[in-house]
Structure formats: structure tokens, C-alpha cells
Amino acid sequence: MAEFIVDKDGIKRYLVTITVNGIKYTKMVKANSLLVNFLREDLDLTGTKKACEQGDCGACTVLLDGKPVNSCMVLTISVDGREVTTVEGLASNGKLDILQEKFIEHSAPQCGYCAPGILMSAKALLMRNPNPTELEVREAIAGNLCRCTGYVHYVQAILDAAAANQERKDG
Amino acid sequence: MAKEFSYLNFNRNKEYSYIGKSLKRTDILDKVTGRGKFTADLKFSNMLYGKLIRSTEAHARIIKIDTSEAEKLPGVRAIITAKDVPSIKYGLSPARYDETIFCIDKVRYYGDKIGAICAVDEETLYKALKLIKVEYEVLPAVFTPAEAAKEGAPQIFEEYPGNINTEIHLEFGDVEKAKKEAYYIRTDRLQGQRTVHGFIEPHCSIAYWEGKRVTIHSAHQSAHYLQHHIARIFNMKEGDVRVILPYIGAGFGGKLDVSGLDVAAVALSKITGQPVKMFFDLEEVWYNGRARHGMDMKYTTGVTKEGKILFVESEIILDGGAYTGLGVASSYYAGALLTVLYDFDNYRFDAYRYVTNLPPCGAQRGHGQPHPRYAFESHLDHIAEDLGIDPIDIRLLNARRANTVTPNGYEVKAYYLKEANEMARDVSGWKEKKGKLPKGRGIGVGNGGFVTGAGYCMYRTDLPHSIAMIKVYDDGTHAVVYTNAVDIGQGSDTVLTQMAAQAMGYPYEDITICTRDTDLSTLDFGAYASRQTLMAGWAVKRAGEDVKRKILAQAAEMLKVKEDGGYRFGKLTPEELECEEGIVYVKQEPAVNITFAEVARAYFVKHGVLIGRGYYHPGKLGGTHKGAAVGTSPAYSSATQIAEVEVDMETGLTKVVGTWDVHDSGFVVNPQLLHGQVHGAFSMGIGETIWEKVIFDEKGRVLNGNFAEYRLPTALDMPYVESLVVDTFEPNGPWGVKEVGEGATTPTLGCVANAVYDAIGVRISELPLTPEKIWRALKEAEGAKEKGGK
Amino acid sequence: MYLPDFEYFTPNSVEEACRLLSQYGSKAVAIAGGTDILVKMKKEVMAPEVLVSIGHLSELKKIEYVPGKGVVIGAGVTHNEVMNSKILHEKYLSVSEAAHQMANNQVRNLGTIGGNICNAVPSADMPPILIALDTTVKIVGAKGERTMPLENVFKGPNQTVLENDELITEFVIPDGNFTGSTYIKFGLRASGALAVVGVAASVQMEGDIVKDARIVLGAVSPVPVRAKEAENFLRGKKAGEELFAEAGVIASGECRPISDIRGSAEYRRDMVRVFTRRALLKAVNEGHV
């Protein structure tokens, strides 16, 4: 259990250490801190979006130990000692992830509010299943609502990213 | 007779450097890396967090607002109610200014705005909200137009007797005479439901004051209208209101009205002297409303034996909700554009918009159109069936043609609905499918279209509708386009940058666009009525051409060509030159050239600054009858959609299996973005046809103010989509462009409904076509058959 | 939306969790995936002062096959873990498929099977299929443990027989003689929709004779219910579409649906008829799917 101090109102503040995008952050949080707010407010990682706050839209999707979850439904304290990846962690050393490249090529996002969540869902899919079918792609992003695109370019971009990954591997 | 001038296949052989191409979105890197900031992502030092205080009664007099407990909570900075803010009324049209910042003496719907509160953090804010006690004298409420229309019904506004807020009676031609001539007359009545826009980003607004000036960052579709409204409400000069719109998580019409957040943020930051961030929780988006009206639509149409429409008589009843806002325009739009779609002379349109004790309705993608299109396209299919005509044939027969004028005064230039129908028919396999699919499977067609920008500003003004400026860097290596066109995701930043590049003859990659800031950029009315590509496009094109004109003039002094054994130096005329992709060259001798950058630098040395200017005003449009302004536009798009569905005859569950859209959008600047609009429009339209409806309880509370019970289509629900265009050229648009964003939603409801009818043989007269409604209709039809059989 | 303050405990064992739950009594709630509790807290439907985390307890995370006992599923296993379990794919694909139909991918990565049961939402997707397979649950409390059929766990919407200090720790799908089973969810969208009706069926076939059958209905009664008359009706009869259609009619008479925003009672009753028939056919023809 995380260590804590008790403030003068009797509220506990816990010391948590969470690895976000490969960086270890140690912060004090209250028990009621939600991961989405921790990322956005405490770490200023606002790429993770907030919308429905009830696990219905997927805008706040992040990877928790490699699996996509809605960060609006995760208590920060329950993530103590674990690893989180957000959209800001997709590119490395200025090099975009293949998914990001393909999203650009297909103009997949329009307003872009759902894009970080879809990217994370898609990333998790390709890590687990490098060569998905169209149905598997649709299924992987079915928890990410988008009102602008009808998902058409998103699905194409993700399939394309998978194909490009395969090519790189084969080549 | 002179041959009709055709704008068809006009662009077939044109090849441009930067338009007509799917270039990369200007905002795409921001959007795939998460670094792009939306309003809720912004933070300012010392910022407070605020929320609206909302009514918990649908219709009630406010007796007392007790904020004392909340004020005692440490961290609460300010609580304001009607007494603390201007009591000025606002809305769209002065005759129907009926909304105030906060309710003054009574609340008119559950969720109505009573006041606002701000605190040092969100947690304190939510705790304080719960401590505010409002005492009401509850009044009887009305929740449907039928209830509102009853004699002795409670009156929601003194100024709207009988609760009628907008009443329209228009007639063009002679309907009574046409009735006598008609071979066949049929009446159908259908209902469209109340929906919400369904954008994912809830509204958010941040305001702070610096001296007499206020700055507002907001999720809004129009920097200018927000500036205009704030200035009017707070009795300020427009120049003292600066509006900055960060990235916007889509709008679809829902971020166009004054939301209450902006005004409250302005008022609270004035009182506290600190930046205030106001935000909605998702459910509040439903209470803010301003989305599609519920409509009850009755159409009577008379046709010839061949199916040619002789007259249409329509009566539309709208559930307006508590306030007017854009609803007066919605009411006129509900009847305005049928005449653009189909060519007939005699038209009567009656409409009644009732106020009810529900969240106010307003504009949603296709403003006022999708429901009437659904109703009329269903009605037209019945007429075709009764006469034994193929649904597409009756549409081909009646489709309006180019270069015509509608009976209600709209001038229609390029218009190729007929060709869209033919193309959709051919790509969808209509002929092989219609009437030949097994029971439970069906195919349907629907037509639609929209204005390409409204002909008139939302308030009375003679200002141009769009202004653009292009500034070239002093070394000529970069250019910035300035315009307050608002990219809410549809891609206007990209399209306008492409247009600037094309007009200037300058590389797309070397241009950035500066938009959505009233201080930094230039006037544009914003993203609504599908106006940005044409209207802001004109302004940008003209600004780009202005730059090019200056560059060519300068280059003429710099280039020399060989002539009669000697050199002609500095004697070229600008007309002899062309500039493309950053190179200025002599048309007759392209090898003689110079870079744009070099010329620009020389221009700077001589003139100090290189700026291009352009603006656009559509001029006077339309007839003189009451409401003639609504529906006017420099150009009209048209579209045909076909959908194929599969209905489970036992459960009523509908699965859309394939969809085809053919759009007459004029010249297409960026095909990829255009198809993106069509895909999104389909998804919204399919959702509205099958799943979506806002549901209230008996107190007027929203029961499905979330994305679990208000079901937008998911990736698993979206069918195969094919999006195609008819190659046309609109003479009133820059390079021949028209719209796509809103028009593409208008045919979907009708085409899917017609496909369901084709599949099951029963018409369901009310949207959405939920499985249970289909199940019930099938059961009733079976019951009737059995009864008839006996 | 926001969460009010609460105390949070991360016990090291089930035993410690029960002790904490016992100590704080009605003020405390156990939390695993949190997908249900946190939403209820945000909506102010519940306001526990103490949350006792159990989602991290490894003893609740197993899926194993114990010969002679059956398939044992820890209560802390997530829906996606059930969905992807090789053991379940082999033994009862129908259970994996039921988990697959819950909510969406992100929620399935958090939400646990134990949570799905303990929240006792009438439309929950896991109870019908597990009951159809005669699943028993192990319940551990501060004072000891007990075992009972899952069927007997539910008391009403959001109510179970669990005492305040008790936790479900595991589910056991006993080795049985069912030759086929399936769960059909009928929701109003392809993903992320609650069941309007959920029907699970399991059958034990001998040749083409239905030796035994279970039909469990979700979302049509305050708790998941078995259509026992329909089950009795089927026993000893020759399988066939007509027989199953008749069983559907009987089952539709056995449920007690309510009308809500997702569907009327009348519609739900008829959907029970349709999906009972379809589920039986599927279980007979396709095995555990």
C-alpha cells in the first residue's frame, strides 16, 4: 500500500510512483484522484481527452500495462507502481509511430477529439495482433466513439499501419 | 431555344497544383500527437473553475435562491444569479429575443440557467453546487406541441400566446388550382424526433479581463458571432471583446448559439478578477440543447399520371423547447429547400413552432432539413409505388435542373441532382436489387442537398461575409493566411490553405493559416450553413490573387527575355508572366524564370510589406416574401444516397449493409476531406434513423444524457460506404466549389427509412426506426392481414 | 463529474479485505475493476466512505481446470481475460463469448467477472451463461466461507445474498454433461449497449433427444431467472426447431420484464420467445459457442 500523509482536514494523501511514457513520476494524490485527471492536471499531458467520464466514449483511453482502458474509470492510486502510455508516448525521439503516420496519410481524424483514444486502442490491437482483419480493427475501436468520420478513414489507416508493419518485418 | 449551358464535366481535364488534391491536413500533426490544445486543455495561472447552476423544475417561479451555505465553503470565489448580470435579452432575431443570461423570475425547463458559481478547484466547485438551494413555486408544464397547443395550457412566455413562437404561412403559385389538375393526390404524415449533435467534446469556455478588454477562449463555431453577442449582452464595443477558438471537438450546429458558459465566464472573471474556466459535464450538453427539433410533418402532393409533381402542400409542427435561439431559422428552413430539390410551381408551406418546457432546439447538421427530407422522400416513394413508378425514375422526372429559379425565389446555377441519381443507381446495383431482394432485405433512395452558406448574416449588417489577408515573410520564404473561418474538424484550414497556395502560385508546405482569433485574424462569420469553402474560399482566393498580382508586377521589372538578338529587360508586362509553385516564369519562355521568394524580397525592399487582401459578399439574394432570406445562398449542393438494409423480421433489428452517396459538390478542393464529410454524415444520419432520440421523464429530465443510452453508431455499426461525386462547376464559387458538410446528412434519414420500408413492406411513420417499432409494426400488419383474411 | 473523498485500502489478501470490510461495515465497499462503482459514485447513486481494493489480489486472478472439479475462474479475472482464456476456449467457448459481448474493449480490460456478478444488474451478461452451466460460487467472509449455486446469489436489482464482509472469490463451472451452451445478447447497438434481453441455454443431448436443458433469462426479471417450465418441457423430447419454438413460447411466459427506455415489457417477452428458440438451436447444433 502506498505511503500517505494525513492533511489537517483528515484527508489522506498518498505517495504514488507511476511510469508514464517511460518516465517515472512520484506525486502525492488523494484517493479520489482519477487517472485521467492525474494525467491532464498533475502531469499536463492533455492529449488524453475527457468527455463522457463514464466509460462510454473512449476519448480518455490510455494503455495500462499495455492494455487499453478508460482512464476516467481508473483510480490513480490503483496505478501505483504500474505503467501508463498516453498518446504523447507514441512517438519516440521525434519519430512518429506508424499508426500516427497512417492517420496523417488518410486524414483519419477530423475534429481530432477522439483521435488520441483511437490511436491508443489501435496501438494495443497491433501489439497483440499485428495482422488484424477489418472486423478485428472495428472491434478494437468500438469503444471509441467518433461523430465526425464514420470511422472509415480510421479503419483504413489502422489496416494500412498493420500492413506497413508486416512489410517492414518481411523486408 | 438556346442550348442549356452545362457546368457538368467541367473540371475533367483541369489539373491544378494544390487544389483538387488530397493534401495533408494542416492540423494533422497536432491531432495525432495529442499536442493540439482544445479549450479544456488550456490552463491559466490563478484560474478558477465554474459551472452553471441549473433548474431542477421544468416550469416554475423562482421564490428564493439561497447561496449562503455554498458561500461559506472555503475556496468558493463567486456565485452569481440574474441580479448580478445584465438583464438584456438575446437570441437570433430581435422579434424573438427571449433568453437572458440567467432566469429572471421563472425557469422554463429542467436544466434552465439560474446562475453560475466558481471556485478554486473542481472538487470545491462540485461540493458547493450541491449546497445551493433554490425554492420554487412549481407551475404546470407542457412537454409536447400538442400539450402546448391545448386550450388553457400553461403559458411559457407572455409574448407567445398559445405557446406559438413562430408561425409561417407561405404560398407560391396556385395550389388550389393545381389540386384540380392533379391525376393523383396523396397525403402522408411522419414524425422526426429530437436528437443531439453528438460531438464528443463538451462545451468549455475560459474568460479573463485585461483592463476594459475581455478575452474568451471557447469551443465555439464562430469567433465573430460570439464576439458580437458578448459585446451586445455586456454593452461593450466589439473591439473590446477578443475571441480565441482553440481546436474545437466538432460542432454540427451545437456550438453556435450563446451557450451560457461564455457569458457566465465573462461575468465571473469580471467579478473575481481571475481567469474562469466554465465547462459542461456531458449530460449538460443535452440540457444546453440547440439540436434538431422534433417535427411532425404532413405532406400532400399532387402529381400527373407520369408522376410529375404539380403541387406540394406541407404543414410542419416543431417542438421548439424553451427558447428560440436559432429555432426561428430552423422553422423557415424546414420548408424552404424542398423547392430546390424538385421542380414544381405550386407550393404551400405552413409551420408552427411551439415552445415547450424542454431544452431549446436549434441547428443541427443540415439545419431544419433532414426531418422534412425524411418525410418527403418517404412520401414520394409512396406516390411512386401507388403509380407503379420506380422510386429513382420519379426522382429523375422531378429533379431540378441547372440555371433555374425556384418558386420561392432562389437562383440555382450548377445543379446536377439528376446525374447524381443516375450515378447512385448504377453504382449501387439498384436495378438488380430493387424489387428483387428477399423479404427482410431492402434498398432505398433519398435525395437531399443544402445551401452553400447562408445568403445573409445572422444579424442585420452590411459587412462582408468573409475577409482574408495573406502576409508574405520579408524574405519570401513563408506566407500566412489570415481568416477567421472556423475549422471545427471539417478541414477548412486545409482547404483554405490549398486555395491560398493555388491563388498565389506558392508552395502549400510554406503556408500556415492563422485563424480563430478576432485580434490576430480577419472577419469571417464562422462554421455554419456549410459556408467556409465557398465564402472564406472567395476571400482567400482573392487575397492570394492580390499577392500574385503584386508579385507578377514586381517580377516584370526583374525578368528579361531575349528579343530580336537583344535583351528586353524590365519591359515585360505582368500579363506575360505566370507564377506557379513558387516560380515566376515567362509564359512564352518558361525557362526564363525567378523564384517567388526572390521577387517577394525585392518587393519588400521597394514597398515595405507584401500583403494580399480579399473579401466576399454574396450580394442581395432572394425574394421579398416574409422569411425570404432563409434558404438564400450563392449555390446549392445536391446529393443522392442509396442504402441497403437487412431487417431481422422477428426482432426488428436493422443492419445497414451498404450505402452509396453521390454528391454534386461542384469542384472538389480536397477529395479525401470531402469523402470524410460524407462518411461522417452517413454515420450521423444512420444513427438518427435507427437509434438516436432524446428521452425525457415526466418532469422534463433527460433520461439518456450519456453515450450509453444515447447511442451513436460505433465502428461495428458502420456499413460499407461508397462516396462519389458528380464532376460539376459552380459559377458562384471560387474554382467552382459548393458544399458537402451539411448536405450529406440530409438524404440519409429518408434513404434508410425507404430501404427499411422496402425490406419489411410496412411504413413506420416515426423516427427512429428502433427494433421495437419495427417489431410492433410487423405484428400489427400481420394482425390486420389476418383480420382482413377472415 | 467528480468523486467525493473516501478512504482507500489495498489489502494483501482476501482475508485482510474481509476483515476491513467487516471493520467498516455498511460504510465500506469492495472495488475491483471499478467500472460500475466509480460511475455510480460519480452519479451519486452510492457514496461509500471506504473502498477496499481487491482488483490487485493475485489469488483472485486464476483461470484453471481442476479435474474432477471443473473450470475455476477467480472473481478478479477481467472480462477480456475470460474472453481470451485458452482453457475456456477449449471447455466453454460460450463463456468467453458472453464476456466478449460485455460493453467495449476498454471496459472489458477493467471490469471483473466478480464485479459483474456482485453488482447484480438485471441486464448483466455473465450470470445467464454461468447459471446455465450450473456454476457455483465460493463466498469468503470474515467469519468463514460458503459455497452456493450462482443462481441463488441474486436477491434483486443490485442486491445479492452477500453480507457486508463477504466477497465472491471464485466461480466453479463443474464438469457436467452439457453438450452445448450459448448466450445470446440482444442489445440496441453492436457494441457498448446493455442487453434488452439476454438468453443463455445449455443442453445435454443424447442422440437427438434433449436429456436435459437449462434456459436462463437476463434483463427480463429483477434477477436472472431460469425458465424452468420450458426446461421441463424439453426433457426427453426430440430436438427440433418446432420443439424449441414451443419452448420459447413457454419461456416467454416465465419472465417478468419491466418497461424502460430500452424496451417495453411486451417486446422483451416476445424477444425471450425468439432468443430462447435461437439459443437452444445454437447450443444443440454448435456445442459450446
Side-chain angles (χ1 to χ4, degrees), chain B residues 541-684:
Chain B
K541 181 173 191 272
R542 287 166 181 167
E545 286 165 350
D546 192 24
V547 171
K548 187 167 163 179
R549 202 161 29 243
K550 289 169 179 164
I551 285 289
L552 295 187
Q554 176 65 37
E557 296 174 18
M558 297 164 77
L559 285 168
K560 54 182 175 180
V561 286
K562 205 173 176 184
E563 206 170 62
D564 298 333
Y567 283 94
R568 182 155 68 98
F569 184 77
K571 297 268 170 51
L572 285 161
T573 64
E575 290 72 34
E576 290 175 90
L577 306 179
E578 179 56 286
C579 176
E580 282 183 324
E581 302 178 27
I583 307 288
V584 184
Y585 62 90
V586 179
K587 285 186 208 168
Q588 295 300 326
E589 210 179 332
V592 180
N593 59 53
I594 185 169
T595 66
F596 182 109
E598 281 176 82
V599 182
R601 199 180 175 287
Y603 187 95
F604 264 94
V605 170
K606 196 164 167 192
H607 302 281
V609 61
L610 176 50
I611 284 175
R613 292 182 294 187
Y615 71 95
Y616 175 73
H617 193 293
K620 196 180 153 7
L621 295 170
T624 53
H625 59 272
K626 195 171 179 218
V630 179
T632 55
S633 178
Y636 297 88
S637 72
S638 68
T640 299
Q641 290 178 357
I642 288 178
E644 193 176 338
V645 302
E646 206 174 69
V647 181
D648 184 326
M649 299 294 277
E650 278 191 304
T651 65
L653 191 75
T654 300
K655 187 174 160 46
V656 183
V657 291
T659 47
W660 296 265
D661 174 290
V662 181
H663 222 92
D664 161 20
S665 274
F667 176 73
V668 179
V669 179
N670 187 316
Q672 199 174 43
L673 297 190
L674 175 129
H675 296 311
Q677 287 296 298
V678 171
H679 301 154
F682 251 128
S683 124
M684 183 185 278

Side-chain angles (χ1 to χ4, degrees), chain C residues 116-128 131 150-161 196-198 215-228 254-258 272:
Chain C
N116 195 257
I117 302 299
C118 292
N119 292 318
V121 178
S123 61
D125 293 312
M126 293 316 292
I131 294 172
L150 174 58
E151 196 181 340
N152 298 342
V153 166
F154 303 100
K155 270 166 63 179
N158 308 309
Q159 285 179 316
T160 65
V161 299
V196 176
V197 167
I215 298 165
V216 191
L217 313 174
V220 288
S221 290
V223 299
V225 286
R226 276 175 61 183
K228 289 192 178 167
E254 292 185 72
C255 56
R256 291 179 290 145
I258 55 158
V272 166

